[in-house]
Amino acid sequence: MSHKTILITGASKGIGYATARHLAANKHRVLATARSEEKLQELKNTNQKRIDCISCDLTDTTSIQRLTDFIREEQLEITSLIHNAGGLLKKSFGELTDNDWNSMWNLNVMSVVRLLRASIPFFGKNSHIVTIGSMGGYQGSSKFPGLTAYSTSKGALVIWTECMAAELKNREISVNCLCLGAVQTEMFETAFPGIKAPLKSDDIAEYIADFSLKGHKFMNGKVLPIALGNP
Ligand SMILES: NC(=O)c1ccc[n+]([C@@H]2O[C@H](COP(=O)([O-])OP(=O)(O)OC[C@H]3O[C@@H](n4cnc5c(N)ncnc54)[C@H](OP(=O)(O)O)[C@@H]3O)[C@@H](O)[C@H]2O)c1
């Protein structure tokens, strides 16, 4: 017998942590990942019964393999995957090296590709993949100097979402992207020091959690801007 679970990445802090907690508090089983074992343990301590944690570096295929081994051993069926993990690099275009571009691409785009490739055998029918994009990567939104590599990588996730919805339609897996606006987290503070975001992680967690559970009943291959302000 398989156990239905929601897989969420980047769950050691910020938006991912709050979303994992919110889902578990609402009686959903959650498999939470990030690199920091210590912070994942803190998350697990908030709801031992419903949260499983596996530390995983999404830039490393061996690490992802350990995650999928766990899914197999525990006979988990993924009902939603929230691709939330991400990183930010703030540098002007002239300062960005090839290495910087590659590392942004590797973390923000290729991690999503790698994780889905490895975990797709464990998806059930009518499941939902939610890609966490950014307003910085949403066409027509305001852009900010120093965030070119980050915003470009997030923009790629928008098209990835649309393509994957077409690829996975026959398997009854839906794929949608939420392009988030400003949420008060460590990442936001690095991007916009001194500016106060209109939302906290717990606020957006409620929306992301509900969307991961229900959004695919109403849409597929869609990219939604979820923002109150600018940034
Ligand atoms: N905050 C905002 O205003 C905002 C706006 C738009 C979009 N977003 C997006 O929302 C998502 C969450 O952002 P946040 O603000 O909550 O950021 P955050 O507080 O910096 O958290 C990022 C998460 O990603 C994980 N992570 C980073 N590198 C990883 C790796 N190599 N392997 C596995 N996990 C990794 C981190 O965990 P470890 O360090 O433990 O691995 C952490 O849990 C990101 O995709 C971000 O781009 C945020």
Side-chain angles (χ1 to χ4, degrees):
M1 198 191 87
S2 61
H3 307 287
K4 293 185 188 305
T5 197
I6 297 166
L7 173 56
I8 177 161
T9 68
S12 62
K13 58 183 175 176
I15 295 166
Y17 181 95
T19 305
R21 274 193 70 164
H22 185 87
L23 284 163
N26 285 282
K27 306 200 182 333
H28 299 283
R29 185 171 175 164
V30 175
L31 176 55
T33 82
R35 289 167 304 177
S36 166
E37 285 186 23
E38 200 184 320
K39 288 182 187 161
L40 286 176
Q41 189 56 48
E42 271 175 42
L43 172 67
K44 184 165 175 63
N45 290 344
T46 66
N47 197 325
Q48 294 274 352
K49 191 173 153 198
R50 295 205 170 83
I51 302 178
D52 287 311
C53 290
I54 296 283
S55 114
C56 174
D57 181 346
L58 293 168
T59 64
D60 174 17
T61 44
T62 312
S63 194
I64 292 178
Q65 175 82 48
R66 276 203 307 277
L67 173 67
T68 52
D69 286 347
F70 179 85
I71 295 174
R72 187 178 298 103
E73 281 154 23
E74 294 291 315
Q75 298 184 309
L76 303 181
E77 176 189 323
I78 300 170
T79 55
S80 299
L81 164 58
I82 306 174
H83 281 297
N84 167 76
L88 177 122
L89 187 61
K90 193 175 182 189
K91 270 190 184 183
S92 65
F93 177 73
E95 288 174 316
L96 285 167
T97 62
D98 279 9
N99 206 25
D100 291 332
W101 278 100
N102 287 337
S103 71
M104 268 292 88
W105 195 261
N106 192 24
L107 175 56
N108 288 345
V109 183
M110 288 311 297
S111 293
V112 168
V113 173
R114 265 182 227 110
L115 177 61
L116 182 60
R117 192 164 51 205
S119 61
I120 206 154
F122 306 102
F123 277 72
K125 287 216 185 313
N126 296 317
S127 47
H128 192 196
I129 297 167
V130 180
T131 319
I132 301 298
S134 166
M135 283 307 288
Y138 186 77
Q139 198 211 351
S141 66
S142 299
K143 301 296 185 289
F144 299 93
L147 298 179
T148 302
Y150 170 77
S151 298
T152 304
S153 66
K154 287 294 185 179
L157 291 180
V158 164
I159 305 301
W160 184 84
T161 298
E162 293 174 345
C163 293
M164 290 309 299
E167 289 257 354
L168 299 179
K169 199 171 173 198
N170 289 344
R171 296 181 65 149
E172 296 178 44
I173 301 172
S174 302
V175 193
N176 291 298
C177 180
L178 300 179
C179 291
L180 305 186
V183 180
Q184 200 70 43
T185 65
E186 282 177 30
M187 184 186 286
F188 179 77
E189 282 154 23
T190 306
F192 299 103
I195 295 183
K196 195 172 177 316
L199 292 176
K200 296 195 176 70
S201 292
D202 284 334
D203 304 323
I204 199 71
E206 183 184 339
Y207 185 87
I208 295 171
D210 287 352
F211 185 78
S212 73
L213 297 167
K214 297 182 202 142
H216 57 316
K217 291 184 187 159
F218 308 102
M219 65 191 87
N220 188 19
K222 296 293 181 278
V223 177
L224 307 183
I226 312 293
L228 281 174
N230 182 24

